[in-house]
Amino acid sequence: MLVDLRIKNYALIEQLQLQPSALLNIITGETGAGKSIMLGAIGLLLGNRADSKMLFDTAKKCVIEGQFDISGYQLQDIFEAEDLDYDAQCILRREISPAGKSRAFVNDTPVTLDALRKIGANLMDIHSQHDTLLLGDAVFQLNLLDLYAGLVPTRAQYGTAYRQYRKLEADLKSVESQVAQANKELDYNSFLLNELEEARLDTEDQEAMEQEIKQLEHAEEIKFKLTQALQALTESEYCATGSMKEAASLLGQVSTYADAFKDLKVRLDSCLIELHDIADEVETAERRTEGDPARIDELQGRLTSLYNLQRKHQVRDLPGLLEVREELREKVGSVLNLDKEISRLRRDTEGALATVTRRGAQLSEQRQRSFPKFQKELASLLADLGMPNSRIVVQHSVGQPTTSGIDVVSILFTANKGAQPQTLSKAASGGEFSRLMLCIKYMLADKTALPTIVFDEIDTGISGEIAVKVGRMMQQMAKKHQLIAISHLPQMAAAGDSHYFVYKEDRADRTISRIRELTLQERIREIAQMISGANPSEYAFQSARELLAMRGEELVG
C-alpha cells in the first residue's frame, strides 16, 4: 500500500505530502482545486509521459516520490525480472528537469519508463472516467471476465501457443515468398550453371594456356635463339664449355701449390657440370620446339570461352568464375532445400494451429461456465445500489483465433423491467456506468493483488441512499485493499477512514494547491458544506454528524 506520497514543483503544487490510511481515504475539494492534478502526478510516478510545461517553477526540477509497503504482495519475481533489488519498503521516484528530461528510479536505482510502468502496475490501479468509457469495449470486457473467472494463467498459456502459431505462419509465408522468387530465377540460374559446368573449369589452367600459346606463336624465334645458345655453350670454336675445361685444367696444374687453387678448381668443376646440364636442357627444348597451328587454334578457342564467361559474369580470372559457379550451385540447390523447409513449416504450423484450437476451445469452455455466476453476482450488486430491475447478459459467439482466444463477447445491460438488454454504450447512462464499474471493481477486488486502488469520481451520477451504499461497498473493499477516492458526495466523504481536503491558496504572485488531513470537527464542517454550500445550516451540520455516525465516528459537539 501507499505509505507516503510527496509531490514537489508540479503544476499548481509547490510542495505536497500525503500519508494515506491503510483503509479508505477520501479526497474532497472544490472543482479546480487540484485533485486531478494530484492524480496526474501519481500517473507520472507510474510511468506516464512527462511535460516540462507542467512545472510549477520552470527553473527547478519536479520530483514525485511514493513509498509503498509491499511486504504482503509476493512481488519478488517482478523485481527479479527487472534486475532490481527487492525491499519490503519500495520507493518509486520520478524527476523532470526544466529542460524536459525525465529520470525514473526504483529504490534509488535508475530504471527505464517501461520498467517503472511494470513495477507501478503492480502497486497501484488508478480508475478514472477513461476506464468507465472502456467498459463498453469488447476487449476490455473480455479481460474483465477472464480476471473474474481466474483464467489469466490459462489465457497466458493460450497466448503463448497463439504467438508460436503466428510466428510459424509468418515464417512459412516468408519461405514461400522466397521459393516463388527463386522459381522465377531458377531457369536462368540453371542455364548459367550448366554453361559453367560444361566449361569444365576444374580442369583448366588459364595461366598455363596463356603461356603455352605465347610459346607456340613464337616457336620459330624460340628455336633459333635456343640453337644459338647451344652453339655458344658447346658447339662453337670458343664455346663456354671448352673454355671452362681449359681453365679447369690450368687450375689443376697449380692446385698442388696452394689449397686456394684447389678450391677454385673444385668450384669450377661444379660450374662445368651445371653448364653441361643447362646445355642438355637447351638442346632438349630446341628439339621439342615446333610450331603447331592446330594446338594454337585449340588453346585460343578454350581461352576465348573463358574470357567470354569472365566478361559475362564480370569477374577477372578463373577463380572468380569458380566462385560464381559455387554461388549458382547454391541458388539452384537452395530451391530444393526450401521445398523441404516449406514441408517442415507446414507440418509445424498445422500442429501449432491444432494446439491453438484445442487450448482456445478449453479456454472458451471455462469462460462460458463463469458467465452465469458473473451475471447473477453483478445484477445482485446493482440491485443493492438502487437498480433492482437490472439484467446482465454476456453475449457470446465463437470466431477466428486471436491473441485473446476464439471468443467474441459483449456485456449487455438493461436497468428497466421488461426491456431487452443492449450493449452498454446504448443502454447505460453516466450514473449507471459508474455503478456498473464500481460493482465490477468490487467483484474483482478479491481476485487481484493490487496494494492500492485509486477511484477518480466513480460516484458520478449517484446521490442519496445509493451514495451511502456505494460508500459501504468501498468500505468493504478497503478491508483488503487500500483505497483512495476523489469524491464530491457528502455520503462518500463520511465513509472514509481518513478525509483529505484539497484547496487553493492565493499568494501575491500566484495561486498554489495544498492538501491537508481534516480533523473530526473539520470533517463535519466540510461535509456540511458539501450538503448545503459555503454557509451550512444547523440542519446540514446535523446531517453531517449523522453521516459520520453511520461509520462509527465518535462525535463531539
Side-chain angles (χ1 to χ4, degrees):
M1 66 177 182
L2 179 63
V3 177
D4 185 79
L5 174 68
R6 297 170 187 263
I7 303 171
K8 182 179 179 181
N9 199 41
Y10 178 75
L12 295 179
I13 300 173
E14 181 181 35
Q15 190 161 332
L16 178 150
Q17 182 175 8
L18 180 68
Q19 294 176 320
S21 157
L23 300 173
L24 175 58
N25 300 270
I26 301 296
I27 299 176
T28 64
E30 293 183 4
T31 300
K35 301 185 295 299
S36 296
I37 292 174
M38 187 173 66
L39 280 186
I42 294 176
L44 290 179
L45 193 64
L46 301 182
N48 291 349
R49 292 194 175 277
D51 185 352
S52 60
K53 295 178 181 178
M54 294 300 292
L55 269 59
F56 176 84
D57 184 342
T58 55
K60 299 178 181 179
K61 70 179 179 180
C62 165
V63 180
I64 303 160
E65 183 175 282
Q67 180 179 347
F68 297 83
D69 181 353
I70 58 174
S71 55
Y73 294 96
Q74 308 301 319
L75 300 178
Q76 290 90 334
D77 290 346
I78 296 170
F79 279 77
E80 184 177 342
E82 296 299 322
D83 197 24
L84 293 169
D85 293 334
Y86 172 82
D87 195 302
Q89 298 297 311
C90 174
I91 298 177
L92 306 186
R93 187 169 80 255
R94 185 82 179 275
E95 298 179 357
I96 298 96
S97 71
K101 184 178 180 181
S102 171
R103 301 175 67 197
F105 302 85
V106 175
N107 293 334
D108 287 329
T109 300
V111 296
T112 63
L113 278 187
D114 185 55
L116 185 68
R117 291 188 193 102
K118 290 178 181 178
I119 298 294
N122 288 275
L123 301 184
M124 295 188 81
D125 172 34
I126 299 180
H127 171 80
S128 64
Q129 294 298 319
H130 177 67
D131 290 329
T132 301
L133 295 175
L134 278 176
L135 187 55
D137 180 73
V139 175
F140 188 77
Q141 292 176 9
L142 188 59
N143 292 339
L144 291 176
L145 290 166
D146 284 345
L147 189 58
Y148 174 80
L151 295 176
V152 174
T154 306
R155 177 168 166 172
Q157 292 175 355
Y158 166 86
T160 300
Y162 180 78
R163 287 189 295 274
Q164 177 65 16
Y165 160 68
R166 290 305 300 268
K167 181 181 183 303
L168 286 168
E169 188 179 46
D171 291 345
L172 176 59
K173 289 181 180 178
S174 175
V175 175
E176 287 176 338
S177 175
Q178 292 178 45
V179 169
Q181 184 63 31
N183 283 332
K184 291 179 181 178
E185 302 172 354
L186 179 60
D187 290 343
Y188 180 62
N189 287 335
S190 297
F191 168 77
L192 294 177
L193 178 60
N194 289 336
E195 192 175 45
L196 291 176
E197 297 284 14
E198 290 173 359
R200 299 179 181 178
L201 302 178
D202 294 320
T203 62
E204 298 289 21
D205 187 335
Q206 182 175 340
E207 186 176 347
M209 287 193 292
E210 290 171 340
Q211 187 173 353
E212 184 180 355
I213 201 170
K214 186 184 295 185
Q215 290 177 358
L216 289 170
E217 288 174 342
H218 298 84
E220 185 176 343
E221 178 186 356
I222 292 170
K223 191 174 184 69
F224 176 72
K225 298 293 184 184
L226 289 175
T227 300
Q228 287 184 316
L230 188 60
Q231 287 179 347
L233 288 171
T234 62
E235 296 177 358
S236 66
E237 182 179 357
Y238 300 106
C239 67
T241 54
S243 298
M244 289 184 74
K245 284 180 181 179
E246 184 179 354
S249 175
L250 293 172
L251 285 173
Q253 293 174 16
V254 298
S255 62
T256 57
Y257 300 123
D259 290 340
F261 301 149
K262 186 185 295 183
D263 290 341
L264 289 172
K265 170 70 167 58
V266 171
R267 290 170 62 189
L268 191 56
D269 287 342
S270 297
C271 290
L272 188 58
I273 292 170
E274 178 66 19
L275 196 60
H276 277 298
D277 287 341
I278 292 172
D280 290 342
E281 290 186 21
V282 169
E283 185 179 7
T284 300
E286 187 274 334
R287 286 199 305 269
R288 290 178 177 175
T289 301
E290 297 290 345
D292 188 347
R295 178 63 175 168
I296 290 176
D297 290 343
E298 178 192 349
L299 291 173
Q300 284 180 335
R302 288 162 62 185
L303 283 171
T304 299
S305 177
L306 286 177
Y307 294 151
N308 289 337
L309 289 172
Q310 286 166 13
R311 283 194 299 271
K312 185 174 187 176
H313 294 284
Q314 298 182 349
V315 294
R316 295 182 177 181
D317 48 27
L318 183 59
L321 281 179
L322 293 172
E323 186 175 340
V324 170
R325 186 187 66 183
E326 290 306 310
E327 290 175 357
L328 288 169
R329 283 175 176 175
E330 289 180 8
K331 288 180 179 179
V332 172
S334 67
V335 176
L336 297 176
N337 294 331
L338 286 174
D339 286 339
K340 293 178 182 178
E341 179 68 2
I342 284 177
S343 297
R344 183 190 70 80
L345 284 171
R346 281 177 178 164
R347 289 194 304 270
D348 292 349
T349 303
E350 289 170 0
L353 179 58
T355 300
V356 168
T357 302
R358 183 180 69 257
R359 290 188 177 177
Q362 293 170 348
L363 177 60
S364 179
E365 182 182 354
Q366 291 175 288
R367 281 170 170 166
Q368 292 178 63
R369 286 203 299 264
S370 72
F371 293 166
K373 183 181 178 183
F374 176 84
Q375 293 167 171
K376 183 178 180 181
E377 185 175 350
L378 184 52
S380 176
L381 289 171
L382 288 170
D384 289 342
L385 295 185
M387 301 168 67
N389 298 316
S390 296
R391 189 171 158 219
I392 300 291
V393 175
V394 179
Q395 188 179 62
H396 171 265
S397 62
V398 174
Q400 293 298 315
T402 66
T403 54
S404 56
I406 62 173
D407 300 293
V408 180
V409 301
S410 178
I411 298 177
L412 306 182
F413 167 78
T414 180
N416 304 310
K417 184 183 293 187
Q420 284 296 112
Q422 294 181 311
T423 58
L424 294 178
S425 59
K426 294 180 179 179
S429 65
E432 290 168 342
F433 250 126
S434 295
R435 278 180 273 183
L436 268 169
M437 199 65 196
L438 177 60
C439 290
I440 288 173
K441 289 279 184 177
Y442 180 83
M443 290 164 61
L444 298 181
D446 290 339
K447 304 178 186 300
T448 60
L450 285 170
T452 302
I453 301 176
V454 180
F455 290 107
D456 181 14
E457 299 184 9
I458 198 170
D459 49 18
T460 300
I462 63 175
S463 59
E465 183 61 26
I466 303 304
V468 174
K469 291 182 177 180
V470 169
R472 289 173 182 167
M473 184 178 288
M474 296 186 74
Q475 287 174 334
Q476 189 68 25
M477 290 175 65
K479 292 180 180 179
K480 295 185 178 180
H481 301 270
Q482 181 188 45
L483 264 60
I484 300 174
I486 294 175
S487 178
H488 289 289
L489 294 180
Q491 296 90 336
M492 287 291 296
D497 180 68
S498 296
H499 186 165
Y500 294 88
F501 180 63
V502 178
Y503 59 99
K504 288 181 178 179
E505 182 179 288
D506 291 325
R507 290 182 175 178
D509 56 340
R510 64 181 304 172
T511 299
I512 64 172
S513 182
R514 293 191 178 279
I515 188 171
R516 61 186 174 86
E517 185 176 4
L518 300 180
T519 64
L520 178 57
Q521 290 304 315
E522 289 172 333
R523 288 188 74 178
I524 294 173
R525 171 167 287 279
E526 169 64 6
I527 293 170
Q529 289 178 336
M530 293 173 74
I531 293 173
S532 64
N535 298 305
S537 64
E538 182 54 39
Y539 172 78
F541 276 104
Q542 183 59 35
S543 296
R545 295 188 187 94
E546 291 174 358
L547 286 173
L548 286 168
M550 292 173 64
R551 68 171 310 281
E553 288 280 7
E554 183 178 343
L555 304 179
V556 179

